[in-house]
Amino acid sequence: MKNYILLVAFIAMVSCNGNTKSQQLDTGKVIQNTEETKNETTQDLSAYETAYFASGCFWCVEAIFESVKGVKEVVSGYSGGSEKNPIYEDVSYGRTRHAEAVEVYYDPEVISYFALVQVFFGSHDPTTLNRQGPDKGAQYRSIAFYKNEKEKKTIQDYITLLVSEDVYGDDEIVTQVEPFEKFWPAEDYHQDFEKRNPNHSYIKAVSVPRLNRFKANFKDYLKEDLEH
């Protein structure tokens, strides 16, 4: 029990929001605004479809979707609010109505939108309101954004299936199903954060274990170089 309490306390210290994370970003140990930083404008992604999801810290969510076959690129950013040009400091402190979200560029000939919805629900807990793991606040709420009625129906039908199969028992699925309006890319240093900052305390304690759980449960959806 003592070890469990210590583990919970440690994870709480490395949550993806608030003073702790801002202080960690100021240590100089985080790769920021380098030539290696991903910029989606440097490649032509016009041939790919897009999908938008929010399910906790975008560092984790980006890494999960980038491990999926058929996914060309994933961009971390903000969506779900009305404020224009949101910045990380405001979103992470809950000063806006935006959630940390991702923009997924995918090839529908390789991976379907339905499969991406499965990845979304299978890689986080959709029953925790305004929380994902140690990250608390509406900025970390679960949202599946849809761009048309077909996508909306896909999301709603899958939720109905999860409920009918009693996947979460008595726990209610609190995922918001919202029309997509606008996606604001996050600052450069947030892109590919997990990949470029493997020794960051949050990445080691929260993000990597979350990614590994997903990879263990969705082996058929992984890119070939990640299957083993």
Side-chain angles (χ1 to χ4, degrees), residues 20-87:
T20 303
K21 187 176 178 186
S22 296
Q23 290 168 356
Q24 289 169 344
L25 293 179
D26 290 337
T27 63
K29 297 179 181 179
V30 172
I31 300 175
Q32 299 189 29
N33 299 318
T34 69
E35 291 182 359
E36 297 178 0
T37 298
K38 174 178 61 185
N39 186 336
E40 69 275 14
T41 61
T42 63
Q43 56 182 320
D44 183 8
L45 298 171
S46 60
Y48 296 89
E49 295 290 334
T50 53
Y52 300 87
F53 302 100
S55 59
C57 176
F58 49 25
W59 296 347
C60 307
V61 185
E62 178 187 344
I64 287 169
F65 277 100
E66 286 197 332
S67 72
V68 175
K69 62 183 178 182
V71 172
K72 175 63 176 178
E73 186 64 277
V74 183
V75 181
S76 289
Y78 316 110
S79 195
S82 59
E83 296 84 358
K84 296 181 178 180
N85 301 309
I87 60 174

Side-chain angles (χ1 to χ4, degrees), residues 122-207:
S123 61
H124 80 294
D125 185 351
T127 69
T128 51
L129 182 63
N130 296 334
R131 178 171 183 170
Q132 202 56 222
D135 302 315
K136 302 177 183 178
Q139 65 271 36
Y140 300 109
R141 65 193 185 276
S142 174
I143 315 174
F145 297 97
Y146 62 88
K147 297 187 299 178
N148 51 55
E149 288 302 311
K150 182 178 179 181
E151 289 185 354
K152 180 180 180 181
K153 186 176 187 304
T154 298
I155 299 166
Q156 292 177 330
D157 286 351
Y158 193 65
I159 291 176
T160 299
L161 177 63
L162 291 173
V163 173
S164 67
E165 294 293 327
D166 203 28
V167 173
Y168 300 102
D170 294 331
D171 294 331
E172 178 185 0
I173 294 175
V174 296
T175 297
Q176 298 176 354
V177 182
E178 297 186 357
F180 172 74
E181 294 184 1
K182 177 71 176 179
F183 178 83
W184 303 90
E187 295 81 350
D188 285 348
Y189 66 89
H190 287 298
Q191 310 303 333
D192 287 323
F193 191 93
E194 179 175 310
K195 184 186 303 181
R196 295 184 295 109
N197 297 276
N199 295 318
H200 190 282
S201 57
Y202 181 91
I203 296 303
K204 292 194 293 184
V206 181
S207 188

